[in-house]
Amino acid sequence: MLVLFAHPSLERSEVNRPLARAASEVDGVTLVDLYAEYPDFAIDVDREQGRLLGHEAIVFLHPLYWYSTPAILKEWQDLVLEHGFAYGSEGKALHGKLFFSALTAGGPEEAYRAEGVNHFTIRELLLPLEQTAIMCGMIYLPPFALFGARNAVDQGRIESHLSDWVRLLEAVRDDRLDIARAQDLPRLNADLGAIIAAN
Amino acid sequence: MFQAFVYLCAAVIAVPIAKRLGLGSVLGYLIAGILIGPIFGLVGSETKEIQHFAELGVVMMLFLVGLELDPSTLWQMRARLVGLGGLQVGLTAASIAAVLLLFGVEWHLAVAVGLIFSLSSTAIVLQTLSEKGLTRTEGGRSSFSVLLFQDIAVIPMLALMPVLAVPEMADLGAQTVTPATGLEGSDATDLHADMSLVEGLSGWAHALVVLGAVALVLLGGHFLSRPLFRFIAESRLREIFTATALLLVVAIALLMTLVGLSPALGTFLAGVILANSEFRHELESDIEPFKGLLLGLFFITVGAGIDFSVLFGDLPTLLGLTLGVILVKGAVLFGLARLFRLAHGDRWLFTLGLAQAGEFGFVLLSFGLQSGVFAVEAAKTLSLVVALSMLLTPVLFVFYDRLIVGRLGARLDAEADEVDEQGPVIIAGIGRFGQIVNRLLVASGIQTVVLDHEAAQIDIQRQVGVKAFFGDATRPELLRAAGIEKARLLIVAIDDRDRAVQLVEHVHRYYPNIKILARAFDVNHLYLLEQAGADLALREVFDTSVRLGAEALKTLGMHPFKVEKMTRAFRWHDQTGLDQLYHLWDAHPDVARNRAFLARVKEHGETLAQVMETDRLQLHDRTERGWTPPPKDYHRHLS
Ligand SMILES: Cc1cc2nc3c(=O)[nH]c(=O)nc-3n(C[C@H](O)[C@H](O)[C@H](O)COP(=O)(O)O)c2cc1C
């Protein structure tokens, strides 16, 4: 499993930092801190493509910035998902791989619906990622999302989110995720128990 | 001494006036010659000797032309050279001979005269073309091809002269008579040279010696000249380098004369051989002033040599003949220009430019006289026609300028631009700094011209395939030879601080359109460079130091992107400080007396810790500014 982590202001992160650390401690997970590896955005395309080939599931881990990923993840997509590699008649390198985004949003869940201040659900807002994954022949799963991230520490919601996160990663690794059911959820952690088989 | 005074005086007065009037320098020199010679009689028979000496100017000009043409370019020109040149000489000679036959002239004579008038004046045409900046136009290149072919064609023509001799006259001719212009033997083979390596040799041996001499020039030029120049260059004596360059030209001219070849042709070949060498621009800038002076002298002697008594003896006939020659030559040239599909403006340049007879004509005439082809009177008349047609050439160029260019106007300019290759980037100084800049530019497909005064450095650069030239980049002539007039950008990376500033100042003053980027050693140097007109100056160690500092922070465990943010803020902060200080500095660059500047610097240095603290706070503010998360309860206030 490849977790591509993007956070430009790590020293002030309250949620993503523990999430990244936790992921790095899960067996079978490769954690890449993109801002650390490419502080000048000069992404090494060959190296990144090599990493993709070596993993069965690709995860973006990031805070939600303006309803999207931080800039470096966009740069990563623009450079690494080349024609002939990720898409096109010859581009089958990513076919059948699993993809989802693990994100934290400042806004509360109520804000992410038609009547809320953000007017759209998180899944709707991430449609560009979803279509990108489809275009690359990957299996797209809804995001693993934490809302109200700015209050998560104060409200003691971090611990449970962290254990959910580890549980999800291990389930994906061990093939215990019910992919068909997961695909229809609004977000993966809406009901983890229902989509993960016991081991 | 008095002679020198007279010649220089005449030139100094006549040439600028002629240029002012739009007549070009060649006509100016010719007029100066006429003034001091036939009109005021200030100079006399010694013009003949002076002219011999001045012919070196023509030889040098061909050497310089050769330097501009590397062998591959010459090879590309072969079709035009042989086709256009061959047809021009052949057709012109035939047409003129035919006209003469119509007038009942005996055929030997007709052919000889045809040959003489088929030649044009390399000296006048090339000088005028380069003065007007037309060398690189289609018309200019075609003209050059034809002139080069003529230079070569003179050699067989000389061999042909005795064959054309009318037997009865041969004896007469043996008593050498000087033609009316007082010209004898020009820059081509001076067969009366006292020394000759080929006199009395059999045909075979002769051919061998000639071939050997050419081979010597080619091989020597290729293999020997560069080590020699490098050796001289390392001695760091400028005047010795200049002397060596002159020696090279004179030696080749001498060798060619000894074996009966055209010295101009020999030096031209040497020039071509050296066109790819690192010393090209230095040689150019060394020879250029000598060429200019000697060529001027040559033109003066042509003017001074005109014999007015013969001229006014039969002015209408002479003028008629001259115009006739120009008309016939022009007609042939115009036809060829159409055949070779020259554009409208180029066609007229080609036609009007080459319509005169040339200095080689004098050579053929004096040789023909001795061989008994011409009678003395005829030779006098003919050489006056040659001189008159040369005298009229600048007038034809004026005609071209006023009528053709005037009418075509903008169109011609546009064409000329297309022909010109894109201006290069000149890099002055190819030390450790310049090398990196050059590598980046060349890798990006930018054409660069590299200059350095370290011969050894240049040698290394050449070995790795860099187009590098030896020379002191702060010398205006070298810059000009390197193409500063057309350059888009100058990069100053020379070691000498003061000279770097001078260089920037000079280029900024004389070529204000060229962008200048310079390497600075420190802040003061940076200010000096910017004040001198550099568009951008960068401190040579600043970037590297910042990068090493960044690596240090990473090594200490700081997150790389945090380091990135720190260095960005640091650079910004430094630049702002630099700009602020510049205003104070610029108000009074004499730092020692600039109170405000000193106060500011002192303020900065007063307590280092304090400065560090402000720096720290300012940097912190800037790095904290990006990607700041919203306040914890921000969403409550969103509607
Ligand atoms: C530049 C920027 C843009 C943001 N855009 C959004 C947004 O569009 N929607 C949202 O809910 N939160 C947004 N936020 C809030 C972040 O999502 C929130 O600070 C982050 O998830 C907290 O995680 P962390 O503690 O790991 O940094 C934004 C924050 C920043 C700095």
Side-chain angles (χ1 to χ4, degrees):
Chain A
M1 231 178 312
L2 179 63
V3 176
L4 295 171
F5 173 51
H7 198 304
S9 186
L10 210 48
E11 60 287 356
R12 283 178 298 189
S13 165
E14 295 177 5
V15 189
N16 280 277
R17 202 164 32 173
L19 284 172
R21 169 181 296 251
S24 71
E25 284 162 3
V26 174
D27 257 355
V29 167
T30 310
L31 183 88
V32 176
D33 180 351
L34 286 175
Y35 275 104
E37 292 213 12
Y38 308 112
D40 54 358
F41 277 48
I43 289 169
D44 182 341
V45 175
D46 291 331
R47 178 152 167 234
E48 292 304 313
Q49 290 181 348
R51 276 181 177 148
L52 288 175
L53 291 174
H55 296 88
E56 281 313 304
I58 318 298
V59 181
F60 284 1
L61 171 61
H62 59 95
L64 190 69
Y65 277 5
W66 290 114
Y67 311 107
S68 180
T69 66
I72 203 166
L73 268 173
K74 182 64 166 62
E75 189 81 335
W76 181 94
Q77 296 167 50
D78 297 353
L79 293 175
V80 179
L81 302 180
E82 282 181 314
H83 177 88
F85 172 81
Y87 70 103
S89 54
E90 302 289 311
K92 299 199 162 81
L94 305 178
H95 275 217
K97 292 188 196 293
L98 219 53
F99 174 83
F100 68 91
S101 155
L103 60 87
T104 65
E109 181 142 37
E110 314 85 79
Y112 286 91
R113 52 171 97 125
E115 315 81 59
V117 283
N118 292 324
H119 301 295
F120 299 96
T121 66
I122 191 67
R123 185 151 184 180
E124 284 167 341
L125 289 168
L126 292 185
L127 275 175
L129 276 186
E130 182 163 350
Q131 174 54 27
T132 301
I134 292 169
M135 186 65 154
C136 297
M138 296 196 277
I139 301 162
Y140 181 79
L141 298 181
F144 174 78
L146 175 72
F147 293 101
R150 296 290 294 133
N151 313 102
V153 176
D154 298 349
Q155 299 169 357
R157 287 187 282 123
I158 293 283
E159 287 312 317
S160 62
H161 190 68
L162 276 177
S163 64
D164 281 355
W165 170 234
V166 173
R167 204 172 144 211
L168 174 65
L169 289 175
E170 285 172 350
V172 170
R173 178 194 64 198
D174 303 337
D175 252 342
R176 284 184 285 109
L177 193 71
D178 182 341
I179 291 175
R181 280 182 82 172
Q183 275 179 312
D184 294 332
L185 294 174
R187 55 182 172 92
L188 280 179
N189 46 342
D191 188 359
L192 270 187
I195 54 170
I196 294 177
N199 50 350
Chain B
M1 197 69 115
F2 177 68
Q3 296 300 341
F5 176 74
V6 170
Y7 277 100
L8 287 173
C9 237
V12 168
I13 295 170
V15 176
I17 294 180
K19 271 213 91 159
R20 263 293 153 74
L21 297 176
L23 304 176
S25 68
V26 175
L27 196 54
Y29 283 120
L30 289 172
I31 291 171
I34 295 176
L35 286 179
I36 59 172
I39 292 191
F40 293 122
L42 292 173
V43 292
S45 57
E46 80 284 350
T47 43
K48 209 168 57 179
E49 278 159 46
I50 294 178
Q51 186 167 45
H52 262 321
F53 177 63
E55 277 155 14
L56 259 182
V58 183
V59 172
M60 286 175 182
M61 179 170 65
L62 266 282
F63 179 66
L64 291 174
V65 169
L67 277 179
E68 295 280 340
L69 276 177
D70 56 83
S72 62
T73 320
L74 190 61
W75 182 244
Q76 278 165 19
M77 281 172 52
R78 65 193 184 281
R80 211 173 346 186
L81 191 72
V82 177
L84 195 56
L87 282 174
Q88 187 273 334
V89 171
L91 288 179
T92 311
S95 312
I96 289 180
V99 173
L100 289 177
L101 283 177
L102 278 184
F103 280 93
V105 176
E106 204 271 328
W107 77 268
H108 286 102
L109 192 59
V111 172
V113 174
L115 289 177
I116 288 172
F117 286 127
S118 70
L119 304 175
S120 313
S121 171
T122 311
I124 294 183
V125 180
L126 287 192
Q127 178 68 14
T128 313
L129 285 179
S130 80
E131 199 173 293
K132 295 188 184 302
L134 294 168
T135 325
R136 280 163 187 253
T137 61
E138 271 303 288
R141 283 178 204 237
S142 303
S143 305
F144 175 72
S145 306
V146 169
L147 291 169
L148 196 60
F149 182 85
Q150 293 177 354
D151 281 6
I152 303 169
V154 175
I155 300 158
M157 284 186 193
L158 284 167
L160 214 61
M161 277 298 157
V163 183
L164 291 171
V166 187
E168 314 88 68
M169 285 217 322
D171 310 327
L172 245 171
Q175 313 147 18
T176 315
V177 191
T178 322
T181 51
L183 293 167
E184 186 191 26
S186 193
D187 74 307
T189 331
D190 188 345
L191 290 178
H192 303 285
D194 306 321
M195 298 181 292
S196 172
L197 287 175
V198 288
E199 209 156 19
L201 287 179
S202 71
W204 269 107
H206 185 150
L208 271 181
V209 172
V210 169
L211 281 179
V214 173
L216 186 67
V217 171
L218 294 183
L219 297 177
H222 193 74
F223 294 108
L224 293 180
S225 65
R226 280 156 91 164
L228 174 70
F229 281 129
R230 205 168 297 142
F231 176 71
I232 303 287
E234 260 144 30
S235 76
R236 296 279 182 115
L237 294 168
R238 275 209 43 74
E239 63 282 4
I240 292 299
F241 194 93
T242 309
T244 317
L246 285 175
L247 175 68
L248 176 87
V249 172
V250 172
I252 293 172
L254 183 66
L255 177 70
M256 291 293 114
T257 313
L258 286 181
V259 300
L261 283 183
S262 152
L265 201 66
T267 46
F268 170 74
L269 283 180
V272 172
I273 296 293
L274 286 170
N276 278 330
S277 90
E278 62 268 49
F279 299 102
R280 171 179 148 194
H281 291 311
E282 180 70 19
L283 286 170
E284 260 168 17
S285 60
D286 277 344
I287 300 277
E288 182 72 43
F290 291 99
K291 174 217 106 179
L293 275 179
L294 287 175
L295 210 56
L297 194 57
F298 175 77
F299 293 133
I300 293 183
T301 58
V302 171
I306 290 178
D307 187 334
F308 268 40
S309 63
V310 182
L311 179 63
F312 290 115
D314 198 358
L315 192 59
T317 321
L318 278 172
L319 279 180
L321 282 174
T322 310
L323 289 179
V325 167
I326 291 180
L327 270 179
V328 174
K329 290 196 73 164
V332 171
L333 288 165
F334 194 77
L336 285 175
R338 289 197 68 143
L339 187 69
F340 280 74
R341 293 174 207 271
L342 289 186
H344 188 69
D346 290 315
R347 198 185 295 161
W348 279 107
L349 175 63
F350 183 72
T351 304
L352 294 174
L354 293 176
Q356 77 296 91
E359 55 277 2
F360 286 118
F362 297 132
V363 186
L364 286 179
L365 269 173
S366 61
F367 190 51
L369 190 63
Q370 266 122 53
S371 320
V373 186
F374 313 106
V376 180
E377 279 313 306
K380 278 192 177 184
T381 314
L382 288 173
S383 65
L384 258 180
V385 172
V386 173
L388 274 180
S389 75
M390 284 166 77
L391 207 61
L392 283 178
T393 309
V395 183
L396 292 183
F397 269 111
V398 172
F399 180 72
Y400 168 80
D401 269 351
R402 296 280 152 84
L403 289 179
I404 312 294
V405 181
R407 216 144 40 81
L408 286 171
R411 227 187 82 201
L412 208 83
D413 279 352
E415 279 172 28
D417 259 345
E418 263 174 51
V419 179
D420 265 339
E421 57 226 34
Q422 263 201 332
V425 171
I426 298 181
I427 300 183
I430 190 75
R432 291 170 309 152
F433 197 93
Q435 274 172 36
I436 296 175
V437 177
N438 185 50
R439 266 169 52 202
L440 177 59
L441 292 187
V442 171
S444 314
I446 304 291
Q447 187 202 343
T448 62
V449 175
V450 167
L451 306 173
D452 202 297
H453 65 122
E454 290 275 355
Q457 190 67 264
I458 288 290
D459 192 35
I460 297 169
Q461 290 299 312
R462 290 219 141 217
Q463 281 174 19
V464 296
V466 173
K467 250 187 134 186
F469 297 97
F470 167 79
D472 176 357
T474 55
R475 281 175 50 225
E477 314 93 78
L478 186 76
L479 279 175
R480 226 175 301 128
I484 188 83
E485 265 134 5
K486 279 174 280 143
R488 286 179 293 165
L489 177 66
L490 170 72
I491 291 167
V492 180
I494 56 178
D495 281 339
D496 187 319
R497 296 173 183 233
D498 301 339
R499 286 186 160 218
V501 177
Q502 282 163 21
L503 175 58
V504 171
E505 211 166 80
H506 172 83
V507 173
H508 181 65
R509 177 169 318 143
Y510 292 100
Y511 311 98
N513 295 328
I514 295 174
K515 291 254 176 272
I516 307 173
L517 307 186
R519 174 265 300 266
F521 284 91
D522 49 34
V523 176
N524 204 49
H525 193 223
L526 181 139
Y527 288 160
L528 284 169
L529 288 165
E530 291 196 333
Q531 196 191 36
D535 294 274
L536 175 73
L538 294 178
R539 281 163 292 165
E540 61 169 358
V541 294
F542 183 75
D543 274 86
T544 327
S545 315
V546 170
R547 282 207 48 197
L548 196 80
E551 292 303 324
L553 290 175
K554 284 188 211 169
T555 310
L556 291 173
M558 193 183 276
H559 189 275
F561 197 66
K562 168 84 183 165
V563 175
E564 174 74 19
K565 287 183 278 186
M566 279 303 294
T567 48
R568 279 185 206 174
F570 181 80
R571 281 170 196 280
W572 175 87
H573 179 63
D574 174 83
Q575 188 61 45
T576 326
L578 216 54
D579 293 346
Q580 285 167 356
L581 271 180
Y582 180 69
H583 293 297
L584 296 175
W585 178 88
D586 194 35
H588 207 322
D590 182 358
V591 177
R593 295 195 204 160
N594 186 336
R595 294 243 172 81
F597 182 81
L598 288 178
R600 182 64 205 269
V601 173
K602 202 171 156 216
E603 189 184 304
H604 243 263
E606 207 115 73
T607 47
L608 191 61
Q610 196 182 323
V611 174
M612 297 294 270
E613 185 60 19
T614 30
D615 270 7
R616 212 182 69 77
L617 288 177
Q618 285 187 23
L619 288 185
H620 184 73
D621 284 355
R622 265 196 94 71
T623 53
E624 288 307 282
R625 178 120 174 244
W627 304 280
T628 309
K632 297 249 171 194
D633 56 350
Y634 79 104
H635 52 84
R636 291 215 206 109
H637 308 291
L638 298 174
S639 52

